[in-house]
Amino acid sequence: MPPQPSLPEPAHPDVDSMLSRKFGKEVANYFSGSPLNRVGFLRPDHAFLSSAIHHPSTTFLLFNNLEPLVKSGTEIAHCTFGDIKSVIGENPFAESESDTIAQYNSSLYLPQIIFLGLDEKKEGFRYKEHYKGQPWFAVDVTPKESVKAECEKLIEKLKGEGLEFSKGRMHLSLPAQEAAIYAEARHLLDWNARNPFCASCGYKTLSVNAGFKRTCPPKDIAHEINQGERPPCATRTGISNICFPRTDPTVIMAVVSADGQKILLGRQKRWPPYWYSTLAGFLEPAESVEEAVRREVWEESGIHLGRVVIHSTQPWPYPANLMIGAVGQAIPDGEEIHLGHDAELEDAKWFTAEEVREALRVGTSGLGEGAGPEYKEGGLRLPPKTAIANQLMTAVVNGFASGSPMI
Amino acid sequence: MPPQPSLPEPAHPDVDSMLSRKFGKEVANYFSGSPLNRVGFLRPDHAFLSSAIHHPSTTFLLFNNLEPLVKSGTEIAHCTFGDIKSVIGENPFAESESDTIAQYNSSLYLPQIIFLGLDEKKEGFRYKEHYKGQPWFAVDVTPKESVKAECEKLIEKLKGEGLEFSKGRMHLSLPAQEAAIYAEARHLLDWNARNPFCASCGYKTLSVNAGFKRTCPPKDIAHEINQGERPPCATRTGISNICFPRTDPTVIMAVVSADGQKILLGRQKRWPPYWYSTLAGFLEPAESVEEAVRREVWEESGIHLGRVVIHSTQPWPYPANLMIGAVGQAIPDGEEIHLGHDAELEDAKWFTAEEVREALRVGTSGLGEGAGPEYKEGGLRLPPKTAIANQLMTAVVNGFASGSPMI
């Protein structure tokens, strides 16, 4: 098996609580476990942001077209305010949020900045009585518009120092805590880049709340007609969800047979030979998670589920998913596989617990990688520990559904 | 206690599976439990939709500005194709989806139609080998644009029959299965109405997939410049989440003290006196549910949680939420209440299990209603059974966290 990064530690593993005695240790999946306190209620406070962005301990993660700056291929690179000052200016948070909105000019390009949070384990920065730690920011340095030349210059300099923007998905190489921070930055940079216009009125929007909100300003000084006044927009009266980052709930489920002895897995055509995984899909409007699990399993495999139990969850920043992991059990007369409804899968199949357990031992890897040395051609291949699919299958063979290990 | 509607039956309650023996009966919350099979993979198939919309068994739910047509105040009213033909025309699905997109004309107003699914318990309509039942649609008959006069006429006629559009939130009056169908219709009508423009390019979008997708057509015959050709849009290359309905994951949690004897509840200023509920908030980008629960509880109350367990989920169509219900346990030195971080709550307080159990018995009601006859002024008031908050508190006093009832 190729080397795989560690998973995050569950929160407070040292606390022996009634919940942990009854339900066992919490499963913390990859991309969760961030060490940062996001202090989200301070995002609209420009005095806080101005002070945080200039503190000597503050660290900046840079992205170029959503690719993070890394060193040695597998480690997030850290930059200073001095590094990126030429791109973002002396103080991007000099004005209050209401002043920034009042002076909105859609013809100005402002590189996206995200305030990620405070690492409270690090000394240094303090704000008011309760908030301290090392501030973390992410900055988009994609060379474009008015900052094209400055970004290109900066990127050349960073390359000279041996740093590079990582092309692939980062999820097979980062330490757990860095992966969680990277996921936060990527999700928010992507959301801002993907939504430059207001879905309610079609006009351009402005990033506020340090990257966690997009607002539709009532005036745009780039518009000469009507003194820049824009038509009314529904998002300006009351709170609208479309101003806030989007996260798409998805369900992913290990399906157990009615007798508890078999596990259902499926495969997509584009996957390597012998590779299978748990079924998954997007939750639809006005479905509970439990209903979405039953619907997806029926659509993709024809199988009818009874009881569904939620196991754990995983953020997945490609681009904006929340994976909700569940275990479901087929009803006795609902186990026949039918692939003809949705036709998303090339195959779906019942595997014995023994086959799955052996494949978890010798056949896991990232999608683009070869299996480990003990793997024998023709054997089942499965996703790595960093995927919640792997954690769900592991839970099932270890007795999550039945109370005792399945083999 | 005022009369409260029933909750949906859990799926397949008759199946005694290993999962139900280990985890107990599934909790099905209000707004879940829809009897419809959505057969979502048939939504792009205009032959299916044309045939379903014209079947004599087909039923139509009407909405005016998101308010559903009801009879006797508490029951969804059903209409026929004949009733709404004047508004939606002879066959809104006459053309294939690709032809509809090719002929896009942004100056035409098309009343929103949603295909909700098939009620498979009803005989009648059949499509191909596997799909049968009564088709359900929702139609927006808000009087506006080109159908203003026809909608007004229809509404007058319906009023003459004693029907009306319900002004309040429906969630305190509908039978469980109707509530779930209403939630599906409302969520999708709201999403379509809220997103008429493309967030990626700012141009108008077109509803396709029977209301479950909005696409950004490459041409608009209402535009005279450049033969109607529009600029390139990122949503046209590959799949973009912004073309699909949005659902916002939220967390809601019963918090138990470290010794398991107390339950934390909070109240907002605008609530009636003595009214408390569980804490709740939106999940943020790149958080697991478990992390979001810990963050929200700390932000709103200052309390630090260890183990978090997910209990059940509830769709909430105001406008587009998925409530993910959890139980979390405070760590021993993290129980001190501090309201100063986010300042969303007027108060947060530890209650004994006994107080909560008594309030669940005598003090629950809808927000606008009075408590029941046994309630004594000054006692704790709580949300009704239809709210997942009530189900979480009930689970806790019945021993969810500890294995045995708390009093």
Side-chain angles (χ1 to χ4, degrees), chain A residues 11-33:
Chain A
H12 308 291
D14 48 325
V15 177
D16 175 34
S17 70
M18 289 190 306
L19 278 172
S20 62
R21 281 197 295 279
K22 184 165 175 201
F23 292 95
K25 207 170 159 181
E26 185 175 306
V27 173
N29 288 297
Y30 198 66
F31 286 135
S32 74

Side-chain angles (χ1 to χ4, degrees), chain A residues 217-278:
Chain A
K219 259 180 115 160
D220 176 359
I221 62 176
H223 268 275
E224 281 167 27
I225 310 154
N226 215 357
Q227 294 182 306
E229 207 85 38
R230 289 169 161 196
C233 173
T235 65
R236 280 180 223 128
T237 49
I239 292 168
S240 176
N241 63 340
I242 65 173
C243 298
F244 294 95
R246 171 175 174 145
T247 299
D248 295 308
T250 63
V251 292
I252 178 163
M253 43 273 166
V255 170
V256 183
S257 58
D259 68 1
Q261 298 305 304
K262 297 187 294 296
I263 299 170
L264 178 80
L265 302 175
R267 60 170 273 113
Q268 295 175 21
K269 212 172 176 170
R270 61 188 175 86
W271 289 352
Y274 317 120
W275 185 293
Y276 282 76
S277 188
T278 54

Side-chain angles (χ1 to χ4, degrees), chain B residues 335-396:
Chain B
E335 292 186 344
E336 202 183 319
I337 291 171
H338 174 85
L339 298 178
H341 298 309
D342 201 2
E344 270 190 23
L345 297 178
E346 183 194 56
D347 190 25
K349 222 164 111 176
W350 288 106
F351 290 85
T352 66
E354 211 153 338
E355 285 173 283
V356 174
R357 185 187 287 273
E358 178 62 6
L360 286 168
R361 197 178 68 83
V362 304
T364 69
S365 69
L367 250 187
E369 296 164 350
E374 287 192 69
Y375 173 79
K376 287 198 195 69
E377 176 79 8
L380 176 61
R381 295 188 60 185
L382 294 174
K385 282 198 169 64
T386 45
I388 190 171
N390 178 302
Q391 297 300 320
L392 294 171
M393 289 184 266
T394 301
V396 166

